[in-house]
Amino acid sequence: MNKVLNLLILLLLSQHIYAQTCEETSPYKEGMTLEYTNYNKKGKERSVERHTIQSVANEDGNLTIHIKSIENQDAKEYILKCINGDFYVDMSNYTSLQNKDNTNAFKVKGTGEFLEFPDNMEVGTVLKDGNIDLAIGDETSAASIATIRVLNRKILAIDALTTTAGTFDGYKVSFDYVFSIGIIKFRGSGIEWYVKGIGIVKSENYSKKGKLRSSRVLTKITNN
C-alpha cells in the first residue's frame, strides 16, 4: 500500500511540475509590448507592427494570451496558447506570406488554425500542418477568396538568435506554403525561429525558386 501511495504522490507531483512549464517559460504580462519590423527582399524596412499584451489568463499553469497588433493603423487581435508546455501560434500571423494591399476600404483578413510547437521538440522533429482562410470585405461582411496551407514543417537546428530585442535560444524551423486562389496556386517556402514561451522571433519568406521575398524580426520588447 505504501508503494502505491508513494507512486501516486510522485505522479501528482510530476503532473504539477509539467503544468507549470508554461507559466515558468513565458515572459508575457499584461501591458507588455513587442515590436516586429518587416523588411523587403533588399532588407529595407517596410513597416513596423506593435503588439500589445491585452491579457494573460492562467489556469493551473496553462496560459491563454490575448494580443492586439497595429500595423499601418490597421488593428487585429489574436491569441497565443500554452498547454502543458506545448505552444500554439494563431495562424493569422502567417498572412504576411501574401502580398498585402490595404489601399482601399476592403481589407484582407486571415483566420485559421493554431500551429503547434510541442514542448519536446528536437532536431529532425516534423511538425503538424496548418491552414489559413483569407477573406476580403469590410466591417459588416466578408467573402472567402483564398487559402494558405503551411506544410512540411521541420526542426532544422537549435541555436541562439540575436536581434535588437535581445538574444534568444530558439528552434530554426523550415516550412513550405501553398497560396491558393481557386485553381491557381502559388508556392513558396520559409524559415522561422521559434522561441519557447514567446513564439516566432524571426521569419523569412522565400519564392518557389528560393529567392528571399521578405523578412520579419522582433526588434523591441517593452515591459510596462
Side-chain angles (χ1 to χ4, degrees):
M1 178 63 71
N2 288 336
K3 289 183 178 179
V4 173
L5 182 60
N6 290 336
L7 178 60
L8 287 174
I9 292 173
L10 179 61
L11 288 173
L12 288 171
L13 286 174
S14 64
Q15 289 176 0
H16 177 74
I17 293 171
Y18 189 69
Q20 293 299 313
T21 301
C22 295
E23 187 177 16
E24 293 172 354
T25 59
S26 177
Y28 288 136
K29 305 294 181 184
E30 185 174 335
M32 180 180 177
T33 61
L34 300 91
E35 287 188 1
Y36 286 85
T37 303
N38 292 291
Y39 301 92
N40 65 16
K41 61 184 180 181
K42 295 182 179 180
K44 183 178 179 179
E45 183 178 315
R46 190 177 64 187
S47 64
V48 175
E49 306 168 24
R50 183 179 176 88
H51 297 243
T52 302
I53 309 303
Q54 302 292 297
S55 65
V56 179
N58 187 334
E59 184 176 351
D60 296 328
N62 296 321
L63 305 178
T64 301
I65 304 157
H66 291 263
I67 303 175
K68 181 177 182 179
S69 70
I70 298 177
E71 179 188 7
N72 295 332
Q73 298 183 338
D74 291 326
K76 70 175 182 180
E77 295 184 2
Y78 64 95
I79 296 173
L80 301 178
K81 295 181 180 181
C82 185
I83 302 173
N84 293 333
D86 298 335
F87 205 75
Y88 299 85
V89 175
D90 191 330
M91 283 195 66
S92 63
N93 283 301
Y94 286 75
T95 54
S96 60
L97 296 175
Q98 54 150 332
N99 291 324
K100 297 182 179 180
D101 182 6
N102 295 326
T103 58
N104 52 48
F106 291 95
K107 308 298 180 184
V108 175
K109 181 180 180 181
T111 57
E113 305 164 352
F114 286 85
L115 280 186
E116 180 183 4
F117 293 87
D119 183 47
N120 59 347
M121 295 186 301
E122 57 186 23
V123 175
T125 297
V126 176
L127 306 174
K128 294 180 181 179
D129 298 344
N131 295 282
I132 315 168
D133 180 70
L134 299 176
I136 189 170
D138 55 22
E139 295 181 354
T140 59
S141 64
S144 178
I145 59 167
T147 60
I148 299 176
R149 186 182 178 199
V150 178
L151 64 161
N152 300 328
R153 303 170 60 227
K154 185 177 181 179
I155 306 297
L156 299 180
I158 302 174
D159 53 22
L161 172 68
T162 298
T163 76
T164 56
T167 297
F168 307 91
D169 291 323
Y171 297 81
K172 185 178 181 180
V173 185
S174 63
F175 64 91
D176 296 323
Y177 67 87
V178 181
F179 179 53
S180 303
I181 306 177
I183 62 173
I184 302 174
K185 299 181 184 295
F186 300 93
R187 300 178 183 273
S189 63
I191 298 290
E192 60 190 10
W193 284 262
Y194 162 77
V195 175
K196 187 178 294 186
I198 295 179
I200 307 303
V201 170
K202 180 180 179 180
S203 59
E204 297 174 343
N205 174 19
Y206 293 87
S207 69
K208 183 180 178 180
K209 295 182 179 180
K211 295 183 178 181
L212 181 66
R213 298 179 60 192
S214 62
S215 62
R216 179 175 181 262
V217 182
L218 176 62
T219 47
K220 186 178 180 180
I221 298 177
T222 304
N223 292 290
N224 292 338

